[in-house]
Amino acid sequence: MTQVVIISGGGTGIGRAAAEHFAQQGDQVVILGRRGALLEQAAQAIGGRFPQAPPVIALQADLAAPDQVERVRDVLRARFDAIDVIVNAAGRHVLRQVPAETYADGLAGVARRWTDNFRLNTLSAVLLTEALADQLRAPGGRILFLSSIAAYRGSGQGCYGAAKAALHPYSQDLAKALGPRGITVNVIAPGYVQDTGFFGSALSPAQRDSKAAEAMTLRAGTPQDIAATIGWLASPGAAHVTAQIVQVNGGAERGR
Ligand SMILES: NC(=O)c1ccc[n+]([C@@H]2O[C@H](COP(=O)([O-])OP(=O)(O)OC[C@H]3O[C@@H](n4cnc5c(N)ncnc54)[C@H](OP(=O)(O)O)[C@@H]3O)[C@@H](O)[C@H]2O)c1
């Protein structure tokens, strides 16, 4: 059966790999993000690789803005009878790839960096999920969140890991609320994943090697590693898996 799969952050990195996973299965994929041209390019490229799937739909939206999420909800409601899978991959560490002085403004800077991380990582996922939950197929619907190893051990200044950790209790409450309808809710917490926009070109080769060496497997994660776990949690075989946080980090969280 062709599933309808909504992927925030589906234009790049992990979300893009997830989009390719579902397109390869012949699913109808919808990708969301703020950069419209990039999304369109990704949709075309995925369609070119997997012509057996329905054309990928690209919707531009800032998912931390309630009115823009409402617009997404209305477009999807008009287009589809039901949604099978929501993958909340949109997110970002706001301290990455910005000049150091961006948040160097005393307590005002502290407040901005915590608020910005919360908006991009927590609110973007919560708003999309709240907007679409009523449209999920029942039974069978799936909600997935992208957390991070930072939710367990921090990432330098607390604000990114805290914003990701906020998704954990939210997912548990949702799993309880939606379980009776046959909908599962799970979180994937990756460690270092290479080849995405998250770090971009910010890491030196030595920093990349050092991050990869944290894993017991002595390698970096790939977007495809994470997409494979997303695909499993969205599959019929994972129908009785809910309220879980699945760490995909080569054992890095336990330390070597
Ligand atoms: N790479 C890692 O090492 C790593 C590790 C742990 C967790 N994660 C998490 O995994 C997820 C995917 O990250 P990635 O590594 O694949 O990085 P990425 O390539 O930068 O992907 C993040 C995506 O989120 C979108 N996005 C960000 N804010 C948004 C917003 N407000 N509204 C709509 N879309 C938004 C971005 O597109 P636009 O900029 O066009 O909006 C981008 O496509 C993120 O949640 C990240 O925190 C990554």
Side-chain angles (χ1 to χ4, degrees):
M1 186 189 75
T2 300
Q3 301 187 99
V4 175
V5 182
I6 314 301
I7 305 177
S8 76
T12 65
I14 293 168
R16 164 86 180 250
E20 292 178 356
H21 172 95
F22 289 107
Q24 189 167 24
Q25 296 185 163
D27 290 329
Q28 168 66 73
V29 174
V30 180
I31 54 177
L32 308 172
R34 291 167 301 180
R35 288 167 290 174
L38 181 148
L39 279 182
E40 289 295 346
Q41 282 166 12
Q44 294 293 328
I46 297 167
R49 279 191 68 194
F50 306 108
Q52 72 277 17
V56 174
I57 297 170
L59 294 179
Q60 180 183 21
D62 180 347
L63 298 173
D67 57 329
Q68 297 192 36
V69 182
E70 281 169 355
R71 180 173 51 76
V72 168
R73 177 198 61 198
D74 294 346
V75 169
L76 295 175
R77 189 174 279 160
R79 193 127 185 183
F80 302 113
D81 292 336
I83 291 168
D84 295 281
V85 183
I86 304 169
V87 180
N88 288 289
R92 189 174 152 221
H93 192 319
V94 298
L95 297 181
R96 304 236 174 261
Q97 298 173 43
V98 297
E101 63 272 18
T102 305
Y103 292 100
D105 181 20
L107 272 189
V110 172
R112 275 205 317 282
R113 91 172 170 252
W114 277 76
T115 306
D116 287 355
N117 264 304
F118 179 78
R119 288 183 74 254
L120 288 186
N121 293 288
T122 315
L123 207 51
S124 61
V126 170
L127 290 180
L128 185 66
T129 301
E130 295 287 323
L132 303 185
D134 285 351
Q135 297 181 54
L136 275 169
R137 192 176 302 285
R142 301 279 197 269
I143 300 174
L144 297 167
F145 295 99
L146 263 295
S147 175
S148 170
I149 193 170
Y152 291 89
R153 62 176 202 186
S155 60
Q157 300 202 7
C159 44
Y160 170 73
K164 288 300 192 190
L167 295 170
H168 299 188
Y170 176 55
S171 70
Q172 310 272 314
D173 283 345
L174 267 183
K176 270 187 212 155
L178 299 178
R181 289 173 54 201
I183 294 170
T184 68
V185 185
N186 291 290
V187 177
I188 296 132
Y192 169 52
V193 179
Q194 65 186 12
D195 299 332
T196 80
F198 187 82
F199 290 103
S201 54
L203 297 180
S204 68
Q207 286 172 316
R208 285 202 297 271
D209 289 350
S210 153
K211 284 193 166 296
E214 289 179 3
M216 296 175 187
T217 52
L218 294 179
R219 70 167 177 88
T222 66
Q224 291 71 30
D225 287 326
I226 312 305
T229 304
I230 291 170
W232 167 63
L233 287 168
S235 73
H240 206 46
V241 179
T242 196
Q244 301 302 308
I245 302 165
V246 181
Q247 296 202 50
V248 186
N249 55 34
E253 186 263 338
R254 300 295 161 103
R256 288 183 58 225

